[in-house]
Amino acid sequence: MDNDEPLEPETKDESDSVSAPQSSNETLYCEAEAPVVVEKEKPAQESSETDLEIEDTEKFFTTGQKELYLEACKLVGVVPVSYFIRNMEESYVNLNHHGLGPKGTKAIAIALVSNTTVLTLELADNCIMKEGILSLVEMLQENYYLQEMNVSDNDLGLEGARILSEFLQNNTSSLLSLQLAAINVGLQSLDLSWNHLYIRGVVALCNGLRSNVSLKKLDLSMNSFGNEGAAALGEVLRLNSYLTYLDLSSNNITNDGLSKISRALELNESLKVLKLFLNPISMDGALLLILSIKRNPKSRMEDIDISNVLVSEQFVKILDGVCAIHPQLDVIYKSVQALSAKKTLSTWTNPVKLIQSYADQNKISVLDFFRSLNPSGETMMPVGEFRKAMIRQNKVPINRYQVRELIKKLGEKTGMVDFRSAWPRCSDLSGLPLWPPEGPQFRLRYPGSRGHAGAMGTHGAEGEALGWGQGVRHRDERTEVPWGTVGHSTLLEDRQPGR
C-alpha cells in the first residue's frame, strides 16, 4: 500500500487536466490567460499521445508555451506541427506550405498570444481562409512582439480581405510588414490613402502590382512618396493591364515624376481615371501628360484631375485637339480668368434645355433621345462611352464642357450615367405609343417633356412642354391616366383626336 500512495496525487492531477478544457470557453484568448493551470497539466501532457518525436524538448521552451500549443491543438482537433514546437523560441518561424488550414492556424494563433520571441511569421500557402485570418487578427491585438507576417496565397477571399482592411484601419499591433499577395486575396478596390507609405512602402507595393490581375481601383493619395514613388508606379502602369482608377493626389510629385507616369501612359490600355490634384505640377508637366494620351491610340483614359494646375489658352487648344482624337477624355484644370473660353461660359445654353428642345421638335421623349445614343438601348451607360457618344452625335450641338455638366446632372457615382436621374419620375415607356390613341383626349400643360400624360408629363425639365394622354377630365389638380402614372396638371383643355 505504501508503494501505491504516490499514485493518488497523479490521479488527481489527471482529473484536473481533463476538466480544464471542458470548462474553458472556446475563444482565442482564454487558453492563454491561465498559465498556472497549464503548468499543472505538464506531467500529463508529456505522457499524452501525439505523432511527434521530439527529444529533450524541455530546453527549447519557456514555461507553458509548448503545453499551451498542444492544448490548443487538442481543443480545435488538429495534429500539432513539430517544426513549430521546435522553433517557438526563435525569432523567425517559417510555416509556409504546411497545410495548416483554418483550425491549424487558430492553434498557432492561440500559442502566439503570449509569445514574446517570434518576430517574423511565414504562413504562405496554408489555405487558412477567412476563419484563419480572423484568428490571426485577434492574436495580433494581444501580441505586441510580432513585426512581420506573410499570409499570401491563402484563399482569403473578399470576406478575408474585409477583415484585414478593418484591422489595418484600426491597427494597434506592433506589425510593421504584412505580405498579402493581392492576386490571391482577390481585391478589386484598395484604399491606402493617408498611410505614411513614403517611398519604401510604395515601391514594395508596386512590386506586387506589376503582375496583379484583379485590382481595379487604387487610392494612394496623401502618402508623400514623391518622384521615386511616381517612377515605380510608372513601371506598374507600363506592365499592368487591369488597373482602371488611380488616385495620386497630394504626393509631392513634380514634373519629373509626372514624366515617368506620362511615358507609361503612352502604352497603357486600361487606366480610365487619374487624379493628380494638389501635386506641385506646372503647365509643362500637364502638357506632357495630355500629349502622352494623344500618342496612345488605344488609351481608354476618361478623366484626369489636375485642377490645381494653372494653364494657358494655348494648353486648352492643344487639349481640344487631344479630345478630338479621344472624345471620351475630360481634363479638369485651373484656367486663367482672361481666357476667351472663360468669357463664353455665361453664354452657354443649358445642355438639358438643348436636348429638350430637340426632343420637342422631333416629337420624341428626352429618354428616347438618350437611349438612341446607347447601342444596347438601355437607360444606363458608362461615363466614357456616354461622353464619346454625346460629342460624336450631330443632333444636338454641344461641347465637352456642356457634356461635363450634363454628366454631373445624370450622376456618375459608380462610373455610370443614368438617363432617368435628371427626370426622376420618368418610367420606361418602351412599350407605349409615341402618339395618342384614338378616343377622347386632353392636353396636359406641365413643366416636363413631350410624351404620355402622367408619365412623361411630370418630369420637371426646364420650360413648358405638352403631354398627351387619354383619360377623365377633372377640375382639381390631379388627373388619372389609365395607361400612365398619376400626374399633376395646371391646365386641362379638350382636344380633338390627332391634333
Side-chain angles (χ1 to χ4, degrees):
M1 296 297 294
D2 293 339
N3 293 333
D4 294 336
E5 290 178 0
L7 296 177
E8 294 181 2
E10 283 189 19
T11 303
K12 183 178 181 181
D13 287 344
E14 282 186 348
S15 176
D16 292 342
S17 65
V18 172
S19 61
Q22 292 175 346
S23 62
S24 62
N25 183 15
E26 289 190 15
T27 62
L28 187 59
Y29 306 115
C30 67
E31 298 298 324
E33 294 174 353
V36 176
V37 175
V38 173
E39 186 174 357
K40 286 175 65 179
E41 294 170 356
K42 183 174 180 180
Q45 291 296 326
E46 286 181 343
S47 63
S48 64
E49 294 184 1
T50 68
D51 66 339
L52 306 179
E53 295 181 3
I54 306 172
E55 297 181 359
D56 195 19
T57 55
E58 278 290 319
K59 63 182 180 181
F60 289 102
F61 313 109
T62 56
T63 304
Q65 287 290 298
K66 170 190 172 183
E67 290 75 15
L68 178 60
Y69 174 58
L70 293 176
E71 192 63 31
C73 290
K74 183 186 295 184
L75 175 68
V76 300
V78 295
V79 177
V81 179
S82 59
Y83 170 85
F84 182 59
I85 294 179
R86 292 195 302 269
N87 292 273
M88 291 178 72
E89 277 198 332
E90 301 296 328
S91 62
Y92 177 83
V93 175
N94 188 341
L95 289 171
N96 293 340
H97 321 296
H98 270 70
L100 296 176
K103 293 183 178 180
T105 304
K106 182 174 182 178
I108 297 289
I110 290 174
L112 289 175
V113 167
S114 58
N115 185 285
T116 61
T117 58
V118 178
L119 303 180
T120 301
L121 179 63
E122 298 277 353
L123 290 172
D125 187 25
N126 275 291
C127 196
I128 69 177
M129 298 190 286
K130 66 176 183 180
E131 295 84 2
I133 205 67
L134 181 60
S135 298
L136 292 172
V137 164
E138 292 177 349
M139 176 270 294
L140 289 169
Q141 293 173 350
E142 297 292 325
N143 182 306
Y144 293 97
Y145 295 90
L146 191 62
Q147 298 180 6
E148 299 181 13
M149 188 167 70
N150 178 8
V151 291
S152 58
D153 194 15
N154 271 301
D155 297 324
L156 302 184
L158 293 177
E159 182 63 20
R162 183 192 63 78
I163 293 171
L164 277 174
S165 178
E166 292 179 356
F167 165 71
L168 292 173
Q169 287 180 7
N170 305 290
N171 182 18
T172 57
S173 71
S174 58
L175 203 63
L176 300 178
S177 174
L178 178 63
Q179 186 173 339
L180 299 175
I183 185 174
N184 300 304
V185 176
L187 284 174
Q188 294 188 10
S189 179
L190 180 61
D191 186 348
L192 293 174
S193 58
W194 290 88
N195 264 295
H196 307 289
L197 296 180
Y198 302 116
I199 297 173
R200 289 182 59 188
V202 169
V203 170
L205 177 67
C206 289
N207 289 334
L209 289 176
R210 291 177 184 177
S211 58
N212 181 275
V213 295
S214 62
L215 196 65
K216 295 182 179 180
K217 183 175 181 179
L218 179 61
D219 188 346
L220 293 174
S221 58
M222 308 290 182
N223 275 293
S224 302
F225 46 74
N227 292 334
E228 292 185 48
L233 285 166
E235 185 67 14
V236 169
L237 293 174
R238 189 176 68 85
L239 300 173
N240 185 290
S241 58
Y242 293 89
L243 201 63
T244 62
Y245 178 105
L246 182 60
D247 191 343
L248 303 179
S249 302
S250 190
N251 274 297
N252 200 31
I253 299 173
T254 67
N255 290 350
D256 185 47
L258 187 58
S259 67
K260 306 294 192 305
I261 294 175
S262 298
R263 281 198 289 269
L265 291 178
E266 294 180 10
L267 303 173
N268 185 279
E269 299 178 16
S270 63
L271 198 65
K272 295 182 178 180
V273 179
L274 178 61
K275 294 186 177 295
L276 290 161
F277 179 60
L278 289 180
N279 282 293
I281 300 169
S282 71
M283 188 181 68
D284 291 336
L287 190 59
L288 286 175
L289 185 63
I290 63 170
L291 289 178
S292 70
I293 305 300
K294 180 180 180 180
R295 297 187 186 101
N296 184 355
K298 296 183 178 180
S299 174
R300 299 181 65 190
M301 189 69 72
E302 297 177 2
D303 293 282
I304 297 178
D305 184 353
I306 49 173
S307 50
N308 64 297
V309 180
L310 191 66
V311 302
S312 66
E313 189 169 0
Q314 182 63 27
F315 174 90
V316 175
K317 291 180 179 179
I318 295 174
L319 178 58
D320 288 338
V322 176
C323 291
I325 300 174
H326 296 282
Q328 80 281 2
L329 178 64
D330 188 28
V331 180
I332 302 177
Y333 51 81
K334 184 178 181 180
S335 59
V336 178
Q337 294 292 328
L339 290 181
S340 57
K342 191 76 173 182
K343 295 179 181 179
T344 61
L345 278 173
S346 59
T347 63
W348 285 347
T349 306
N350 186 312
V352 175
K353 191 173 183 179
L354 287 174
I355 296 170
Q356 179 70 68
S357 176
Y358 172 83
D360 289 343
Q361 291 173 9
N362 290 272
K363 300 181 177 63
I364 63 172
S365 71
V366 175
L367 183 63
D368 288 333
F369 168 79
F370 282 129
R371 292 176 66 170
S372 69
L373 302 176
N374 193 349
S376 67
E378 299 295 329
T379 58
M380 296 185 69
M381 196 173 180
V383 169
E385 293 300 316
F386 176 75
R387 183 182 290 120
K388 182 190 297 185
M390 283 300 302
I391 293 296
R392 287 180 172 176
Q393 59 84 30
N394 55 11
K395 299 174 182 178
V396 180
I398 193 169
N399 59 43
R400 58 189 176 91
Y401 304 100
Q402 291 168 306
V403 173
R404 181 190 299 170
E405 294 303 312
L406 187 59
I407 290 174
K408 290 180 181 179
K409 182 178 288 291
L410 295 176
E412 53 176 331
K413 294 181 180 179
T414 60
M416 303 285 289
V417 293
D418 188 343
F419 304 149
R420 299 165 298 181
S421 59
W423 298 270
R425 298 184 185 178
C426 175
S427 61
D428 188 351
L429 305 178
S430 57
L432 298 180
L434 286 177
W435 293 104
E438 294 297 324
Q441 298 167 12
F442 61 84
R443 183 174 64 178
L444 170 65
R445 189 182 299 274
Y446 189 84
S449 60
R450 180 183 295 274
H452 303 287
M456 298 300 292
T458 59
H459 285 165
E462 293 187 8
E464 184 178 71
L466 300 179
W468 294 92
Q470 181 180 29
V472 180
R473 179 180 177 188
H474 294 278
R475 287 298 178 184
D476 59 14
E477 292 186 352
R478 301 188 64 84
T479 302
E480 295 184 359
V481 183
W483 44 275
T485 59
V486 176
H488 297 273
S489 65
T490 55
L491 177 63
L492 292 173
E493 298 176 356
D494 289 323
R495 300 287 293 177
Q496 297 298 321
R499 292 183 61 184

